[in-house]
Structures are given as C-alpha cells and as structure tokens.
Amino acid sequence: MKIEILPEFSENKPITKKIFSNDNMVVVHFYLKEGQKIPMHSSPSTVIVTVLKGEGNFFIENEENFVSLKLGESYLYKPKQPHGFIA
C-alpha cells in the first residue's frame, strides 16, 4: 500500500486526516504549523507517532514530560497512555 503525503496546513488550527482504517489499525496524519498543538488524550490501542516533516514535542502522561522528535523519528505510546504534541 502506498500512502501519499499531501500537506494540508491551516493557519487557524491543526488538521487531522484519517488515511486508513480497519478493525486492527487506524493511520492518521496530523498537519500542524509551528506552535499548534494536539491536546492531551488517550487511545484504546497502541499509538506510534512518526515525524514526516518538521519537529515537535510529544507529551507522555502530561505536558511537562515529553520527547522531542525530528524528521524520521518515532515514538510508541502504550494503550490508554495519555499523550499529545506541539509542533
């Protein structure tokens, strides 16, 4: 399967685009401009984030605990683990 990355940035808010979904997996692209943020939330399944462009801080459990990721880097969140990020 080929996934085409089509940047869809907005000056006003982050853009979320569901790319693929089945019973076992969901692939979502997030498009954020610098300073935009996805608030803390959790997912019932494992979440793998990979930076496809730019960089950001990825929150783990709370906004004071984070990892900084750059182009090509990934991080894995456990099921139900609170997470969010800022570009």
Side-chain angles (χ1 to χ4, degrees):
M1 168 177 40
K2 181 181 177 184
I3 297 175
E4 189 173 339
I5 302 169
L6 300 172
E8 298 183 12
F9 296 96
S10 166
E11 295 294 328
N12 302 320
K13 63 178 183 166
I15 300 296
T16 303
K17 184 175 182 181
K18 187 183 291 187
I19 303 300
F20 175 81
S21 180
N22 68 19
D23 292 341
N24 301 309
M25 175 176 62
V26 177
V27 176
V28 179
H29 282 180
F30 292 91
Y31 302 92
L32 289 79
K33 303 223 18 119
E34 185 175 350
Q36 291 180 339
K37 180 178 174 180
I38 298 295
M40 297 295 295
H41 62 282
S42 63
S43 171
S45 57
T46 299
V47 173
I48 300 170
V49 296
T50 301
V51 176
L52 300 176
K53 184 176 181 180
E55 59 188 56
N57 291 337
F58 292 80
F59 309 129
I60 307 161
E61 304 286 340
N62 59 62
E63 292 186 12
E64 289 75 42
N65 185 29
F66 62 88
V67 293
S68 295
L69 300 178
K70 296 180 181 177
L71 177 66
E73 295 180 323
S74 299
Y75 188 82
L76 184 139
Y77 293 102
K78 299 174 196 165
K80 300 181 183 170
Q81 184 176 32
H83 60 277
F85 52 95
I86 187 167

